[in-house]
Amino acid sequence: RACRVHVYVTLNRLHALAHLYAVYQRFVVVQRHWSMGSKTDSCCEGPGYASPLDAMKGSKEKLLYIPCIYETTECKKPDYLATIDCDRDSPDYSKVIHRLPMPYVGDELHHSGWNTCSSCFGDTSKKRNRLILPSLVTTRIYAIDTGTDPRAPRIAKVVEPEEVKAKTGLTAPHTSHCLANGQIMISAMGDVNGNAKGGFILLDGSTFDVAGVWEASENATPFGYDFWYQPRHNVMLSSEWGEPNSFLKGFNPAHVAEGKYGKSLHVWDWKEHKAIQHIDLGEEGLIPLELRFLHNPDKTEGYVGAALSSNVLRFYKNEEGTWSTEKVIDVPSKKVEGWALPEMPGLITDILISLDDRFVYFSNWLHGDVRQYDITDRRNPKLVGQVFLGGSVCSDGGVKVTEDKELSEQPEPRFIQGKQVQGGPQMLQLSLDGKRLYVTTSLFSAWDKQFYPNLIKSGSMLLQLDVDTEKGGLELNQDFLVDFGEEPEGPSLAHEVRYPGGDCTSDIWI
């Protein structure tokens, strides 16, 4: 009997040692992957890449996924997910090779994210094989199977709005990020009645059922929009758009003065899920939309684009241990005639940072230009690239610029393959190596209809810019064009771009 007890204890100890060794191996793997100088050049140990610099050495993109919207257009069909072939060696280069229609009309697909990403690197049980598609108007959430056949995705799960509302009290979901624990976190902008409320929906990473909210009780913010987390520093930052009942109908400038749009950043304790600081950006930071930490997870700084103020603000952890902001880029408004207001802001609607943290890119949807800044000096970005792709101040339009602090004359309209670009540059996505910048021209269907009515009739475009990563510079690739005005069911409005292997706005390193 004593012998059996001894064997039983020994086996238990062996199991415990084996478990500890497995944990130790995982720790060593993750520690190695945290190194910014890691030599790994593929996603072979779980989803994503060991570090941002490893991601830059990853495979060149061959497929793109883009949600395409019919809301507000003449086509009363469901939105769909388009798969684009972007392999230069393919006979289908720059063509839509697959369309996955959603089962309902009126969703307004918008942004997307992955079920898992580089935050789970080292966990071989995780696979990046589900694209998460929240719907702005209906609050419905789709999980799309991209793993079975990457060239022909299929719907794996539909999370109905009733479940989201019942379990979270939130609506108007926007940004999706995967978490290291396997869950999926989605920012939301409204309560069940469409009033402003910032919160975060949690999905189970296996079943995609709604697991509840991320934030601790009584920690909802006045507005919601984007977010980014940095676990090494126990911090998350979130930004603000506006009240869904207001922005879903279009943009009314009076609503800004009425307090229906945001102007703050919120700092969260990542472990406690509590908002610990609210930064009022004032008039310099009206409608702060996309925010990006530097990709290096050791860093405690990043940038946010304030759309209406048309400024880029740097946020950073100060010497006191709290967070501060400073304006580092100012896009001057133009005085105009023949437009809705006497002054036209640039309207910065997207911003991203290259994986090596060297360049920041952003789009001015109304002025019509995409810009590239060298941010080697974090506090003093230097403009090194700029290209105009449509916009509201082209020389052939009905708007006359009477005072411009940047340009001596209005830009010419942009044509590609004999077609004029309608709308303005909006969503951006950079290739992993930083050499190709993809641009779409639709912002949000109600705002498209208001500011660019021709876009509703013509459909949006997907363009590609060649990037000079040495000295800086942007040039339109005339060989690449996806014209969503030629879709079989009628012109559609394409929005955010994702790659099957992750990108610089989906992946977070921990």
Side-chain angles (χ1 to χ4, degrees), residues 113-117 127-130 132 178 182-184 205 208:
W114 289 105
N115 62 315
T116 188
C117 67
K127 292 183 179 180
R128 192 196 307 259
N129 59 9
R130 296 292 187 272
I132 309 303
C178 68
Q183 289 183 312
I184 299 156
F208 304 101

Side-chain angles (χ1 to χ4, degrees), residues 78-304:
D79 300 341
Y80 61 98
L81 180 70
T83 304
I84 312 297
D85 189 326
C86 59
D87 182 357
R88 273 191 174 274
D89 297 327
S90 169
D92 293 323
Y93 176 64
S94 79
K95 294 180 181 178
V96 179
I97 60 172
H98 185 263
R99 298 169 183 86
L100 175 66
M102 301 301 110
Y104 301 97
V105 175
D107 281 324
E108 184 96 28
L109 300 179
H110 196 62
H111 282 214
S112 61
W114 289 105
N115 62 315
T116 188
C117 67
S118 294
S119 65
C120 295
F121 188 80
D123 186 346
T124 55
S125 69
K126 298 290 192 299
K127 292 183 179 180
R128 192 196 307 259
N129 59 9
R130 296 292 187 272
L131 185 66
I132 309 303
L133 286 176
S135 305
L136 267 186
V137 172
T138 64
T139 304
R140 189 171 284 111
I141 301 171
Y142 297 96
I144 307 300
D145 176 4
T146 61
T148 303
D149 184 351
R151 296 177 67 86
R154 63 191 70 176
I155 296 174
K157 170 91 174 194
V158 180
V159 183
E160 295 294 351
E162 291 77 14
E163 181 184 353
V164 178
K165 295 174 184 178
K167 293 182 178 180
T168 69
L170 297 169
T171 59
H174 189 268
T175 299
S176 304
H177 279 303
C178 68
L179 305 184
N181 66 2
Q183 289 183 312
I184 299 156
M185 184 166 159
I186 307 173
S187 62
M189 299 179 284
D191 66 12
V192 294
N193 296 312
N195 301 309
K197 181 182 180 180
F200 302 92
I201 301 163
L202 284 179
L203 298 185
D204 182 280
S206 299
T207 65
F208 304 101
D209 293 332
V210 178
V213 297
W214 175 85
E215 66 275 13
S217 178
E218 306 300 323
N219 271 265
T221 54
F223 298 95
Y225 185 70
D226 198 18
F227 70 100
W228 197 283
Y229 61 88
Q230 290 282 58
R232 289 195 193 184
H233 306 287
N234 189 35
V235 70
M236 179 180 85
L237 264 67
S238 64
S239 62
E240 301 182 330
W241 186 1
E243 175 192 67
N245 285 338
S246 296
F247 70 70
L248 288 178
K249 300 173 184 177
F251 178 67
N252 183 345
H255 288 166
V256 178
E258 293 171 7
K260 295 184 178 181
Y261 285 91
K263 58 174 182 174
S264 297
L265 296 182
H266 306 285
V267 183
W268 298 78
D269 183 301
W270 181 245
K271 293 178 181 177
E272 299 296 327
H273 302 192
K274 293 181 178 180
I276 56 176
Q277 185 182 350
H278 306 283
I279 306 173
D280 186 341
L281 303 176
E283 295 300 308
E284 298 280 19
L286 296 176
I287 313 185
L289 295 181
E290 315 293 340
L291 64 82
R292 316 292 186 201
F293 265 98
L294 296 183
H295 294 288
N296 184 340
D298 286 329
K299 300 300 182 181
T300 54
E301 61 183 321
Y303 301 91
V304 60

Side-chain angles (χ1 to χ4, degrees), residues 263-500:
K263 58 174 182 174
S264 297
L265 296 182
H266 306 285
V267 183
W268 298 78
D269 183 301
W270 181 245
K271 293 178 181 177
E272 299 296 327
H273 302 192
K274 293 181 178 180
I276 56 176
Q277 185 182 350
H278 306 283
I279 306 173
D280 186 341
L281 303 176
E283 295 300 308
E284 298 280 19
L286 296 176
I287 313 185
L289 295 181
E290 315 293 340
L291 64 82
R292 316 292 186 201
F293 265 98
L294 296 183
H295 294 288
N296 184 340
D298 286 329
K299 300 300 182 181
T300 54
E301 61 183 321
Y303 301 91
V304 60
L308 192 58
S309 300
S310 296
N311 296 319
V312 174
L313 302 158
R314 171 179 171 259
F315 57 83
Y316 60 96
K317 192 173 184 178
N318 58 42
E319 294 180 354
E320 288 73 36
T322 58
W323 291 76
S324 301
T325 62
E326 60 179 349
K327 182 174 71 173
V328 293
I329 300 173
D330 181 8
V331 178
S333 294
K334 302 178 189 296
K335 291 186 178 181
V336 295
E337 295 176 355
W339 197 63
L341 298 171
E343 291 193 9
M344 182 189 294
L347 207 71
I348 298 174
T349 50
D350 197 14
I351 185 171
L352 57 77
I353 301 173
S354 61
L355 287 169
D356 57 3
D357 292 333
R358 183 183 171 193
F359 296 109
V360 68
Y361 301 84
F362 66 82
S363 56
N364 288 306
W365 191 57
L366 291 178
H367 287 181
D369 59 316
V370 176
R371 301 189 183 198
Q372 175 193 24
Y373 284 80
D374 186 321
I375 54 170
T376 304
D377 182 346
R378 308 298 189 204
R379 302 187 65 184
N380 297 285
K382 179 183 178 183
L383 180 63
V384 293
Q386 183 179 24
V387 63
F388 281 84
L389 302 170
S392 294
V393 294
C394 291
S395 59
D396 68 337
V399 176
K400 178 182 179 182
V401 178
T402 59
E403 184 179 318
D404 194 326
K405 296 180 180 179
E406 293 185 314
L407 304 177
S408 59
E409 58 184 10
Q410 293 179 229
E412 294 295 318
R414 173 66 73 169
F415 289 85
I416 179 169
Q417 297 180 18
K419 300 177 181 180
Q420 183 170 354
V421 176
Q422 300 292 336
Q426 210 281 295
M427 292 307 298
L428 308 176
Q429 191 54 264
L430 189 65
S431 61
L432 295 178
D433 60 11
K435 295 181 179 180
R436 294 165 301 285
L437 185 67
Y438 294 91
V439 185
T440 58
T441 57
S442 164
L443 172 59
F444 172 63
S445 67
W447 291 36
D448 292 347
K449 185 175 182 179
Q450 180 179 358
F451 291 101
Y452 293 109
N454 287 339
L455 187 63
I456 300 296
K457 300 175 183 178
S458 67
S460 66
M461 289 182 172
L462 172 65
L463 308 170
Q464 186 191 86
L465 301 178
D466 293 326
V467 181
D468 185 334
T469 57
E470 297 297 325
K471 299 179 181 178
L474 301 171
E475 184 177 352
L476 180 64
N477 176 4
Q478 291 286 342
D479 295 329
F480 185 94
L481 169 65
V482 182
D483 183 0
F484 291 93
E486 298 182 352
E487 287 296 270
E489 299 289 350
S492 65
L493 304 170
H495 198 61
E496 188 179 42
V497 177
R498 288 280 176 233
Y499 309 141

